Amino acid sequence: MAGAGAVGGSRDLAGAAGPQGRAAEQTPRAAAMSSVASYESLVHAVSGAVGSMTAMTVFFPLDTARLRLQVDEKRKSKTTPAVLLEIIKEEGLLAPYRGWFPVISSLCCSNFVYFYTFNSLKALWVKGQHSTTGKDLVLGVVAGVVNVLLTTPLWVVNTRLKLQGAKFRNEDIVPTNYRGIIDAFHQIIRDEGVLALWNGTFPSLLLVFNPAIQFMFYEGFKRKLLKKQLQLTSLDAFVIGAIAKAVATTLTYPLQTVQSILRFGRHRLNPENRTLGSLRNVLYLLQQRVRRFGLVGLYKGLEAKLLQTVLTAALMFLVYEKLTAATFTVMGLKHSRKH
């Protein structure tokens, strides 16, 4: 009987342990899903999107000047103020804000995807421990790849809309006539094929190192500062955001120029090769740039880009940090009220 009891008892224990064992097996998967689909990741994503939209709206004319310098190679004006004055004089006072809505829409989607992916993967991988510079770089690259593959069509369309109606000095540029975002998508697919929406994807994938380097430096500086103080000040967020973006932009600028040209896609260059965005096209455009303007040509418009992107990134991180902190504070207050 004792043996039977023991056997029965062991069966009871096995039966009790079975579901718990299965639950234990499911716990890591459930934890992973909760990390990816967490409210915290959503807060980071929304804060990043709002921060980028705010910053880009403030500094949008600088981005307009940068794009003209990159794409219109025969423009004589070389400085940002001179280009902006030319644009206003020739195209009207609001011309520096041409294409604002599609750019802001694309930027909102792009930064939401990037911040959500970065912070979800960070929560999944780091799991409450301190992150490292290497991990931040890897997370930044993965988030960048996801972002590029999902949002490149939006950037192709907004680049063309932003340059539509511009007065170019370069006769090799074919003008466009889009009535809006939807019409631009329709015309590009009809005239150039669906894959044209992913023009510039190859340099964009190479350029995932830009935000990855930016986040690596930003998170590294942030960790060092938070060892000495409880939270970042507005000035801290602005300065380290600016430094991080300046380093990333300078290192990757030649590829950004090629990316802009490929996204615009209206140059009568290399007509025999229709597969834009391949390694062959990237090398071809880089060689053409060096042949025409020398090595300095690879950095044509860098001043405008640094001015725009550094200030935009700095303001974006400032808004992002403050909005994230405010949201989590409110969440904490609500939590304490419930208890």
Side-chain angles (χ1 to χ4, degrees):
M1 292 294 292
V7 171
S10 65
R11 282 175 183 164
D12 291 341
L13 286 171
Q20 291 177 1
R22 286 191 293 272
E25 289 175 3
Q26 291 172 357
T27 299
R29 185 181 299 175
M33 287 302 297
S34 65
S35 295
V36 172
S38 68
Y39 187 69
E40 286 79 4
S41 295
L42 183 63
V43 170
H44 283 291
V46 172
S47 299
V50 172
S52 63
M53 289 168 63
T54 303
M56 180 56 83
T57 299
V58 173
F59 298 115
F60 194 81
L62 298 178
D63 190 58
T64 299
R66 181 271 309 174
L67 191 57
R68 295 292 180 90
L69 284 167
Q70 284 183 324
V71 172
D72 193 2
E73 298 166 346
K74 295 185 179 180
R75 185 176 288 275
K76 292 181 180 179
S77 298
K78 306 297 182 185
T79 64
T80 303
V83 171
L84 284 174
L85 285 174
E86 270 186 3
I87 293 171
I88 292 170
K89 184 179 178 181
E90 296 175 3
E91 303 169 33
L93 190 62
L94 295 178
Y97 275 91
R98 180 186 291 118
W100 173 83
F101 181 74
V103 169
I104 289 297
S105 303
S106 302
L107 194 66
C108 178
C109 296
S110 184
N111 276 278
F112 183 91
V113 170
Y114 191 92
F115 275 86
Y116 193 93
T117 305
F118 182 88
N119 286 285
S120 295
L121 293 177
K122 189 173 184 178
L124 188 61
W125 191 9
V126 177
K127 295 177 182 176
Q129 301 174 357
H130 289 293
S131 186
T132 63
T133 303
K135 285 182 179 180
D136 288 335
L137 183 62
V138 172
L139 290 170
V141 169
V142 174
V145 170
V146 172
N147 179 37
V148 165
L149 295 177
L150 290 178
T151 64
T152 290
L154 289 171
W155 287 110
V156 168
V157 167
N158 88 53
T159 299
R160 297 196 185 189
L161 287 172
K162 191 172 181 181
L163 291 170
Q164 183 168 278
K167 295 184 178 180
F168 294 109
R169 308 303 195 267
N170 190 348
E171 62 274 7
D172 290 328
I173 294 175
V174 183
T176 59
N177 185 27
Y178 304 130
R179 292 189 297 272
I181 296 176
I182 303 301
D183 185 56
F185 271 107
H186 174 71
Q187 285 196 41
I188 292 170
I189 293 170
R190 183 192 65 197
D191 299 337
E192 304 170 49
V194 175
L195 291 180
L197 291 172
W198 275 269
N199 278 354
T201 297
F202 186 79
S204 296
L205 287 173
L206 295 179
L207 278 169
V208 299
F209 284 101
N210 181 295
I213 292 168
Q214 174 188 343
F215 266 73
M216 179 183 73
F217 275 95
Y218 183 81
E219 293 289 330
F221 288 140
K222 183 178 173 180
R223 275 194 297 273
K224 287 191 176 182
L225 284 174
L226 290 179
K227 287 179 181 178
K228 303 174 184 177
Q229 56 200 60
L230 290 176
Q231 61 181 12
L232 293 181
T233 65
S234 298
L235 182 61
D236 290 336
F238 191 89
V239 171
I240 65 175
I243 293 171
K245 191 61 178 178
V247 173
T249 298
T250 304
L251 290 174
T252 60
Y253 188 75
L255 281 172
Q256 291 182 53
T257 299
V258 171
Q259 178 193 55
S260 294
I261 293 170
L262 288 172
R263 279 177 173 174
F264 186 40
R266 309 305 295 175
H267 287 72
R268 295 188 182 95
L269 295 176
N270 203 17
E272 71 280 358
N273 186 359
R274 297 295 296 167
T275 312
L276 292 177
S278 65
L279 177 59
R280 182 179 173 185
N281 272 288
V282 171
L283 294 176
Y284 172 82
L285 288 169
L286 288 173
Q287 287 170 359
Q288 286 293 100
R289 201 83 176 177
V290 173
R291 191 176 300 163
R292 290 182 182 183
F293 308 106
L295 287 174
V296 179
L298 294 176
Y299 286 88
K300 191 169 184 280
L302 178 61
E303 174 234 356
K305 180 64 176 177
L306 277 175
L307 189 60
Q308 175 261 324
T309 198
V310 168
L311 291 174
T312 301
L315 184 56
M316 180 201 73
F317 276 116
L318 171 59
V319 175
Y320 162 71
E321 291 289 350
K322 292 302 174 184
L323 190 55
T324 304
T327 305
F328 285 138
T329 299
V330 171
M331 286 170 61
L333 289 172
K334 286 181 179 178
H335 183 73
S336 63
R337 282 177 190 148
K338 285 179 182 178
H339 294 79

